[in-house]
Amino acid sequence: MKSKLYFTAIMFLGMMGVSNAQAQNPECMTNLSIFSEHAKVKNYEAAYEPWKMVYETCPQLNNAIYVYGERILKDKVDKATGADKEKFANDLMGLYDNKLKHFSSKTSPGETMVDKALVMYDNKMADDAKMYSMLSEAFTKDEANFTNPKALYIYFSSLVDEHKAGRKDLQEVFDVYDAVTEKIETENEKLTGKIAKLLPKEEAGTLTSKEKSRLKSYNSYSEVYGKIAGSIDSKLGPLADCSNLIPLYEKSFEEKKGDVVWVKRAVGLMFNKECTDDPMFQKLFEAQLSLDPSADAYVYGGTLKMKNGDSSGALADFDKALSLETDNDKKSKIAYKVAVINKRKGSKSTARKYAQKAIDANPSNGRAYLLIANLYATSANDCGSSAFEKRAIYWKAADMARQAGRVDPSLGGSASQAANSYSAKAPTKEMIFSSGMAGKTVTFNCWVGGSVKVPSL
């Protein structure tokens, strides 16, 4: 039996692609096979002792020690109470340190710090100050590998709580908010880019089983990032109201006006929170223009011209911004901002034009689809001569909202809510039956244009 287990362990080691001098220890090799087989079927209790022997005696033998060891120790933590729970939690944190020490190619400093912080958080072993300190260090030292959505939220949430307790200032809250939301956006863009490549194959029914699994994973992670982004905005809450932003930026302006990152983030946050009427917005915009006369600067310049009634000058600035930007993702974001500006001004047709430019530059820009859906839905009274025709526009709006969730699952919740709301306002089955419109086409003779096919009963 022992020789069979030894042979199994040798085969397992070869499949994992790791080999070293510790493979010469027959007892380690045998126990490696034993705990691996138990762990595979989630029999973590039986896996613990053979795993512990290998972990303590041959820590460099195989990465499986750390892959399965994490599951085994998490099971121990979950089932333990009192002092035992803390002991196993400390063992788990030690495991993360040793994985970085012995298998650094399989992890990173940032991942290790985040994993340890989450153990402490889940087991109530640290207060807000400790959590923020640990996660701030991880984010600062290894931002590229700080991708855990839960950790991103805790990082920001613990800071807000520290601010409310009077131990952190508001500027730090805004700095971390900007950094964390930018990180979430970056990670989600990677996911939606991968999703965009698979959607045509999904619609054609030609996805392989591996591609289906990948698409499911991408969609799931994107949805989580969307929920976390919403939670972070909720946590920020009224702290980012114009009444807080403006005096803070006024106070810091002279000291920070040469800091391009601070200036750009300040302008962006004031724009997003609709604080553009205040003179501080113009001061910040002018500072950005002198530091970095980029495409974004023309967007903000156009915003100011629009507010001053210079629509033609504003549109010229917007188009200049788009012509300057060569990166499609950035171009899409700029076009979306312009669409938002025009929507706020009530220029629906122009808003749709720029939202479509945003989609053309990046088909994964779900926010642009949602904006167009809203433009359609708020035009119902202007698009039709009968109640049926007016309500038919909601089908078109619902389709756009659903597309937003398809291309960007991080918007899944808001997209689904919007689509359901619009669908509920569309003609009912009774209206379709009594009007005799089933299967026919409704054409829109307003700014929306186009048509929709009425569902068949």
Side-chain angles (χ1 to χ4, degrees):
M1 180 67 179
K2 277 191 173 182
S3 61
K4 182 179 179 182
L5 285 172
Y6 186 81
F7 176 75
T8 302
I10 288 288
M11 293 295 291
F12 181 82
L13 190 65
M15 286 188 290
M16 293 295 286
V18 181
S19 180
N20 54 56
Q22 291 182 0
Q24 303 305 312
N25 186 320
E27 192 174 0
C28 282
M29 294 295 292
T30 300
N31 280 296
L32 170 66
S33 178
I34 292 171
F35 84 69
S36 298
E37 290 304 315
H38 285 311
K40 284 178 185 176
V41 294
K42 300 183 180 181
N43 187 357
Y44 300 124
E45 195 63 37
Y48 179 69
E49 288 299 334
W51 166 81
K52 186 179 178 185
M53 179 270 158
V54 180
Y55 176 54
E56 292 177 349
T57 309
C58 306
Q60 294 175 283
L61 177 62
N62 195 291
N63 187 45
I65 296 168
Y66 302 94
V67 174
Y68 290 133
E70 180 180 30
R71 302 175 196 175
I72 292 166
L73 287 176
K74 280 186 174 180
D75 182 69
K76 285 287 188 183
V77 172
D78 289 342
K79 293 176 179 175
T81 58
D84 284 344
K85 193 175 192 70
E86 186 168 339
K87 173 195 175 299
F88 286 122
N90 283 320
D91 288 347
L92 180 56
M93 288 189 283
L95 178 86
Y96 292 135
D97 285 331
N98 283 324
K99 181 176 182 178
L100 183 63
K101 177 181 177 182
H102 298 303
F103 288 89
S104 58
S105 65
K106 302 292 186 180
T107 186
S108 70
E111 286 178 290
T112 301
M113 287 187 278
V114 166
D115 286 338
K116 291 172 67 177
L118 289 178
V119 172
M120 297 191 77
Y121 177 84
D122 290 339
N123 293 284
K124 299 178 174 57
M125 298 169 68
D127 58 14
D128 287 324
K130 179 65 175 176
M131 289 308 307
Y132 178 64
S133 175
M134 292 177 71
L135 292 171
S136 179
E137 180 183 7
F139 193 86
T140 303
K141 289 185 176 180
D142 191 10
E143 182 183 336
N145 291 300
F146 195 131
T147 59
N148 186 293
K150 180 179 177 181
L152 285 165
Y153 174 74
I154 296 169
Y155 174 34
F156 181 69
S157 177
S158 60
L159 171 59
V160 172
D161 290 340
E162 282 292 280
H163 166 71
K164 289 178 179 177
R167 292 187 287 267
K168 293 291 181 181
D169 63 35
L170 190 57
Q171 182 61 62
E172 188 168 357
V173 172
F174 289 147
D175 288 343
V176 172
Y177 172 81
D178 287 331
V180 168
T181 52
E182 286 170 10
K183 179 63 177 176
I184 290 172
E185 190 173 282
T186 297
E187 293 303 318
N188 191 57
E189 283 174 358
K190 293 176 185 176
L191 292 168
T192 55
K194 294 173 181 177
I195 290 168
K197 293 178 181 177
L198 293 175
L199 282 180
K201 295 186 72 175
E202 182 188 43
E203 291 167 3
T206 58
L207 283 176
T208 65
S209 58
K210 185 177 288 188
E211 287 171 335
K212 286 179 183 177
S213 177
R214 287 175 181 168
L215 183 58
K216 183 179 179 181
S217 176
Y218 300 152
N219 284 334
S220 177
Y221 269 98
S222 182
E223 287 172 12
V224 172
Y225 276 124
K227 290 175 182 176
I228 292 298
S231 297
I232 286 173
D233 280 336
S234 296
K235 188 73 178 184
L236 182 64
L239 289 177
D241 287 350
C242 299
S243 59
N244 285 323
L245 284 175
I246 293 166
L248 177 68
Y249 292 149
E250 286 175 339
K251 178 183 175 182
S252 305
F253 182 74
E254 288 303 319
E255 178 190 351
K256 298 277 194 177
K257 64 183 180 182
D259 183 341
V260 66
V261 174
W262 181 86
V263 169
K264 290 176 76 171
R265 284 178 171 175
V267 175
L269 195 51
M270 286 194 75
F271 174 85
N272 291 335
K273 297 299 179 180
E274 298 188 43
C275 307
T276 53
D277 286 332
D278 193 88
M280 193 64 221
F281 180 78
Q282 178 147 357
K283 283 181 71 175
L284 286 164
F285 155 69
E286 289 171 352
Q288 178 175 339
L289 195 61
S290 65
L291 292 169
D292 181 26
S294 60
D296 267 333
Y298 281 96
V299 174
Y300 300 132
T303 303
L304 293 171
K305 287 180 180 178
M306 183 76 80
K307 285 186 176 295
N308 292 327
D310 183 7
S311 297
S312 60
L315 291 174
D317 275 0
F318 296 151
D319 289 334
K320 177 71 172 177
L322 290 171
S323 68
L324 284 174
E325 187 54 69
T326 55
D327 181 279
N328 279 336
D329 286 341
K330 292 179 180 178
K331 187 188 288 285
S332 181
K333 290 176 184 176
I334 288 170
Y336 175 73
K337 284 181 180 178
V338 175
V340 169
I341 293 165
N342 282 280
K343 177 178 177 289
R344 289 174 184 170
K345 292 293 291 184
S347 303
K348 293 182 179 181
S349 180
T350 305
R352 180 181 60 179
K353 182 181 81 170
Y354 283 99
Q356 187 59 54
K357 285 179 182 286
I359 293 167
D360 292 341
N362 175 18
S364 297
N365 192 331
R367 287 184 173 82
Y369 282 105
L370 272 181
L371 188 147
I372 293 174
N374 179 265
L375 292 172
Y376 288 166
T378 55
S379 298
N381 287 332
D382 305 319
C383 294
S385 56
S386 67
F388 187 94
E389 289 178 354
K390 290 178 179 180
R391 293 179 65 167
I393 195 73
Y394 289 110
W395 281 317
K396 199 173 181 72
D399 285 342
M400 294 299 290
R402 280 189 285 268
Q403 184 65 7
R406 279 194 289 269
V407 301
D408 185 355
S410 74
L411 300 173
S414 54
S416 178
Q417 186 177 10
N420 290 339
S421 174
Y422 299 149
S423 293
K425 295 175 183 177
T428 62
K429 288 184 178 179
E430 290 76 12
M431 289 181 68
I432 295 171
F433 177 77
S434 61
S435 67
M437 290 293 291
K440 295 182 180 179
T441 298
V442 176
T443 300
F444 302 110
N445 296 315
C446 58
W447 73 269
V448 171
S451 61
V452 292
K453 187 175 181 180
V454 178
S456 298
L457 294 175

